[in-house]
Amino acid sequence: MSELVDQKADALDIARQYKEQLDKVTISDNDIESLHRTLEKVVGIVMNSNLGEADSVEKQEMRKSFDSLVEMLNSDTLRTLQLLGYNYKKAIGEPLTQVTSEFILSKLDSNPKKSQSFGDEDRGSN
């Protein structure tokens, strides 16, 4: 009898672990819609900011890349990829985090030497 109880506990533990892993890569339909709208805005802001620094050929290429990225990130594609087990939180979230971080830092940090020396001063005062 205790063996059956142990097997049931093991099965429940495996099911819980599986659910936790599934939850890491699954989001709701409402979240997918919101994600698409937000990604479209964020990518647009970053691309438009960078377009000012590019020549016309570069602008066209960047715009094509932007359009392709937004099209790839539409809600139907995200739902389909999710059904196939695609981990878009990792595939999209991590690169987008890096891009937005670099974008913000580039706008805030116009003089890297000045910022680095400021950071060094902070470390010295602790």
Side-chain angles (χ1 to χ4, degrees):
M1 182 72 159
S2 67
E3 186 177 326
L4 287 175
V5 171
D6 289 343
Q7 287 177 353
K8 180 181 178 183
D10 289 344
L12 290 173
D13 188 46
I14 291 169
R16 181 190 53 77
Q17 290 175 13
Y18 178 76
K19 172 116 173 64
E20 287 174 2
Q21 292 300 315
L22 184 62
D23 287 346
K24 287 181 182 179
V25 296
T26 304
I27 62 173
S28 71
D29 287 347
N30 287 339
D31 287 343
I32 288 174
E33 295 291 335
S34 177
L35 174 68
H36 177 68
R37 287 189 304 272
T38 302
L39 286 174
E40 189 172 20
K41 288 178 188 176
V42 168
V43 171
I45 291 167
V46 171
M47 291 299 293
N48 287 334
S49 173
N50 290 334
L51 285 176
E53 302 165 4
D55 64 31
S56 62
V57 174
E58 287 177 317
K59 285 181 183 181
Q60 289 175 351
E61 289 300 315
M62 290 175 80
R63 179 56 61 190
K64 284 180 187 177
S65 295
F66 166 71
D67 292 342
S68 296
L69 181 62
V70 169
E71 189 171 323
M72 181 185 85
L73 299 177
N74 74 50
S75 57
D76 291 332
T77 303
L78 290 174
R79 275 191 206 93
T80 302
L81 291 172
Q82 179 176 297
L83 291 172
L84 297 172
Y86 182 74
N87 186 344
Y88 51 81
K89 288 182 180 182
K90 183 173 184 174
I92 298 169
E94 289 178 11
L96 189 58
T97 298
Q98 183 178 352
V99 167
T100 54
S101 174
E102 290 171 1
F103 171 74
I104 292 168
L105 289 173
S106 74
K107 298 303 176 191
L108 297 176
D109 187 16
S110 60
N111 186 349
K113 289 183 180 180
K114 184 178 180 182
S115 295
Q116 184 177 4
S117 65
F118 178 73
D120 291 341
E121 290 170 7
D122 280 352
R123 279 185 237 121
S125 65
N126 288 336

